[in-house]
Structure formats: structure tokens, C-alpha cells
Amino acid sequence: MLELVCGDDPEPSERTPAGPLFVPVRPGPAGCTARLFRSPLGGRSAVAFTSARLLGHTLGPDQPWIRLAEPALRALTAPLGVTSLTVDPTFSAPAPAPVARTIPLPACRITEGSTR
């Protein structure tokens, strides 16, 4: 029987995305930091996307990102105890809507017999 070499396997056992991923980041004092998210069960997870379009659609067009290969992202988050990686999440909570800034009104003191 012919044995398949790993690269010739038509159904590889590990389903990892090919090529660099789009990883959401946040700015920090030492540069960019990969954003970590919570899974539905509360565990921390690194998140990456296979295209900038998917990242922008899920996290918003203003979300900064960098390109990292999957092993590099895992190596970056492993010291933090994060072992889960979610690629192209299909659901995320919507971004909070901007809140209009309100100006507090001065308190009016109303006393008995006042005409105000």
C-alpha cells in the first residue's frame, strides 16, 4: 500500500489556515498588542481572520490589525496561557453605539411655597 507523505495528504488531520492571518491588535506603550477575546464559555482565545474584509465586517472598519502566521500568533499568546485560537469567528457582540455626551443641568432647589 502506498503511504502518503504529510504534504501529499489530501485530507490533512490538522486544519490550519495557509498563509498569514489578519490579527486584531490594540495600540500600547510598547507597540501593538494582539487582542484576546473570550469564548462563549469564558476562556481566553486569540482571534484571527483570513481576510481584512472579514475582520472589518466582524470588528469594525477602524479595527487595527497586523499579519501573523498561525504559529507566530500561538507563540505570542502561549506565555499568557492562551492556547485557543479562533479563525474567522462567525459571531461577535456588536460594537457599542457611541453615546451622546450630556451636559448635566444644575440642580434646582424647590422649597415649599416657591413659585418655581
Side-chain angles (χ1 to χ4, degrees), residues 108-116:
C108 294
R109 188 172 186 180
I110 299 176
T111 58
E112 196 174 316
S114 172
T115 58
R116 285 173 137 210

Side-chain angles (χ1 to χ4, degrees), residues 34-45:
R35 287 186 60 188
L36 299 177
F37 294 83
R38 296 274 178 187
S39 71
L41 298 177
R44 292 192 314 171
S45 177

Side-chain angles (χ1 to χ4, degrees), residues 15 29 56 64 71 73 80 91-92 104 111:
R15 299 239 183 241
L73 180 55
L80 303 172
F91 175 76
S92 71
T111 58

Side-chain angles (χ1 to χ4, degrees), residues 3 18 29 39 46 67 78 94 102:
E3 285 191 37
S39 71
R67 301 279 315 259
T102 58

Side-chain angles (χ1 to χ4, degrees), residues 29-74:
C32 293
T33 304
R35 287 186 60 188
L36 299 177
F37 294 83
R38 296 274 178 187
S39 71
L41 298 177
R44 292 192 314 171
S45 177
V47 171
F49 296 85
T50 54
S51 74
R53 184 185 59 77
L54 286 172
L55 184 145
H57 181 72
T58 305
L59 299 177
D62 296 328
Q63 172 62 55
W65 51 267
I66 60 172
R67 301 279 315 259
L68 285 177
E70 182 259 342
L73 180 55
R74 287 189 184 277

